[in-house]
């Protein structure tokens, strides 16, 4: 059984997951960064191989097609090698100074489309909107089990970003505790709301960024893509909803279409201008409402959900690991200007 272990100095939780050592290529030499379909002996995510994944928990299908059979547009399946496993809320255990608990949670894979080589940047807008609808549906479904306190939606594109399979996919992991990174954002937002701004800090920042324009990449009536003022990595981007909301699950159907447009633009510009780099895409949202409204009263007012796109163009090394400071050789203003020049065709 996996374990969640807590670093007693920093309060950071980590997952110790022996199950993941079962991946077939865990102990092989690294494969080439980009693996195309013609070089693969087998891909469990391609159509016709549905029996090689756990049974799907959700899918968008063509009319008349059966579950776990070809005919799907997008599928959600449990991860075959999960970081965490479903179960009841585990008790925290202590021995001396150490804390741990059984590794209970949810780990799902969203197989984004049947085409092995069609990435998010290449998808039609309506298909990308369907993927975002899947994220919303799975978030709501998972949060019905209240002990899953936080739902993390993320995508690793490319081996350097952590992907072990090249077929386009994203992942959803739900944890029985709220991650420290999210708590830091919540506490910071609350402090600024109560002591400084008397409004949502991200709403204030967004207003200033729209007025300035120097770090904007692309925006529409509902979302803004920009390079953050204190970017940690070259060409890092944030996608922020104009409408204030703490919970991604509250996104409307109209906003989903708008988010698909901005996300496609952002990823297409990375692909075009930076030769399709590996990247991590992460959603930051408030914890399960059943948890958030009790632990952080008023979180609806001061927290603001958003996405982060983190291209892998530099390596984190000793200084970053030792201090928590990041060295970014690309000013975000220059990055935004460079990305703005790439206008992508609408599809």
């Amino acid at each position: 059984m996996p374990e969640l272990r807590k670093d007693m100095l920093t309060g950071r939780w980590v997952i110790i997951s022996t199950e993941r050592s079962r991946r077939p290529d865990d102990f092989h030499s690294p494969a080439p960064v980009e693996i195309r379909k013609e070089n693969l002996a087998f891909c469990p995510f391609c159509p016709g191989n549905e029996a090689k994944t756990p049974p799907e928990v959700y899918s968008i299908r063509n009319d008349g097609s059966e579950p776990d059979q070809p005919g799907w547009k997008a599928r959600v399946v449990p991860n075959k090698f999960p970081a965490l496993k479903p179960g009841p809320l585990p008790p925290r255990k202590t021995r001396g100074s150490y804390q741990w608990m059984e590794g209970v949670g949810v780990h799902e894979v969203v197989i984004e489309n049947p085409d092995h080589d069609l990435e998010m940047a290449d998808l039609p807008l309506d298909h990308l909107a369907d993927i975002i609808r899947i994220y919303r549906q799975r978030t709501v479904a998972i949060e019905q089990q209240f002990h899953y306190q936080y739902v993390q939606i993320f995508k690793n594109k490319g081996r350097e970003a952590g992907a072990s399979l090249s077929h386009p996919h994203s992942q959803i992991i739900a944890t029985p505790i709220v991650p420290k990174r999210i708590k830091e954002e919540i506490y910071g937002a609350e402090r600024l709301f109560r002591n400084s701004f008397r409004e949502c800090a991200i709403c204030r920042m967004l207003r200033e960024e729209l007025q300035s324009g120097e770090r904007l990449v692309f925006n529409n009536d509902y979302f803004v893509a920009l390079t953050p003022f204190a970017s940690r990595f070259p060409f890092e981007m944030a996608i922020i909803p104009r409408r204030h909301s703490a919970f991604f699950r509250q996104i409307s159907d109209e906003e989903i279409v708008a988010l698909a447009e901005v996300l496609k633009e952002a990823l297409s510009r990375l692909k075009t201008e930076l030769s399709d780099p590996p990247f991590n895409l992460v959603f930051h949202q408030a914890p399960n409402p059943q948890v958030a409204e009790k632990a952080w009263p008023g979180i609806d007012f001061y927290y603001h959900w958003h996405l982060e796109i983190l291209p892998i163009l530099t390596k984190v090394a000793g200084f970053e690991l030792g201090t928590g400071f990041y060295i970014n050789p690309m000013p975000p203003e220059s990055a935004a200007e460079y990305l703005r020049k790439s206008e992508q065709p609408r599809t």
Side-chain angles (χ1 to χ4, degrees), residues 80-291:
K80 194 171 182 179
F81 304 98
L84 300 170
K85 291 186 174 182
L89 177 64
R92 294 196 188 188
K93 303 175 184 178
T94 60
R95 181 181 297 125
S97 301
Y98 300 106
Q99 290 188 41
W100 75 96
M101 64 172 68
E102 292 180 350
V104 168
V106 174
H107 192 171
E108 297 179 347
V109 177
V110 180
I111 307 171
E112 295 164 358
N113 74 89
D115 191 321
H116 188 90
D117 297 319
L118 203 62
E119 270 290 352
M120 270 190 175
D122 310 311
L123 292 173
L125 283 177
D126 59 347
H127 193 118
L128 188 51
D130 281 341
I131 294 172
I132 297 170
R133 290 188 186 94
I134 287 174
Y135 296 156
R136 180 181 64 180
Q137 191 278 340
R138 295 311 301 152
T139 296
V140 172
I142 292 169
E143 287 181 342
Q144 289 177 357
Q145 301 182 67
F146 300 153
H147 66 284
Y148 295 142
Q149 295 191 7
Y150 187 75
V151 177
Q152 178 65 68
I153 302 164
F154 66 99
K155 177 180 175 68
N156 303 329
K157 193 261 184 186
R159 281 195 174 271
E160 295 95 333
S164 58
L165 290 171
S166 57
H167 192 118
H169 68 283
S170 41
Q171 300 181 63
I172 300 172
I173 294 182
T175 58
I177 51 93
V178 179
K180 185 173 185 289
R181 177 74 177 85
I182 302 304
K183 284 184 177 179
E184 289 172 348
E185 285 191 351
I186 294 172
Y187 288 132
E190 182 181 20
R191 182 177 65 254
L192 290 169
F193 179 83
R194 299 192 187 285
N195 299 334
S196 300
F197 298 153
R198 302 297 178 181
E199 65 174 323
C200 166
I202 291 183
C203 286
R204 180 186 177 111
M205 178 272 290
L206 196 58
R207 186 169 65 249
E208 294 177 355
E209 291 289 348
L210 287 167
Q211 290 172 350
S212 165
E214 59 183 342
R215 285 175 291 275
L216 296 182
V217 176
F218 181 78
N219 64 93
N220 58 24
D221 290 341
Y222 295 95
F223 288 88
V224 176
L226 54 83
T227 55
F229 176 75
S231 296
R232 295 158 292 176
F233 308 105
F235 296 95
E236 173 183 349
M237 282 187 275
I239 298 179
I240 303 169
R242 292 176 183 256
R243 180 175 68 89
H244 175 82
S245 176
F247 301 97
F248 164 68
R249 62 185 287 158
Q250 294 176 347
I251 188 172
S252 68
D253 289 338
E254 192 172 15
E255 287 171 324
I256 283 176
V257 175
L259 177 55
E261 180 188 26
V262 174
L263 181 57
K264 181 178 174 67
E265 283 284 347
L267 296 180
S268 297
R269 294 179 190 206
L270 283 183
K271 182 174 183 177
T272 300
E273 300 300 326
L274 299 174
S275 301
D276 199 16
F279 64 82
N280 299 110
L281 168 67
V282 296
F283 282 62
H284 281 194
Q285 58 179 318
N288 188 322
Q290 299 295 325
V291 174

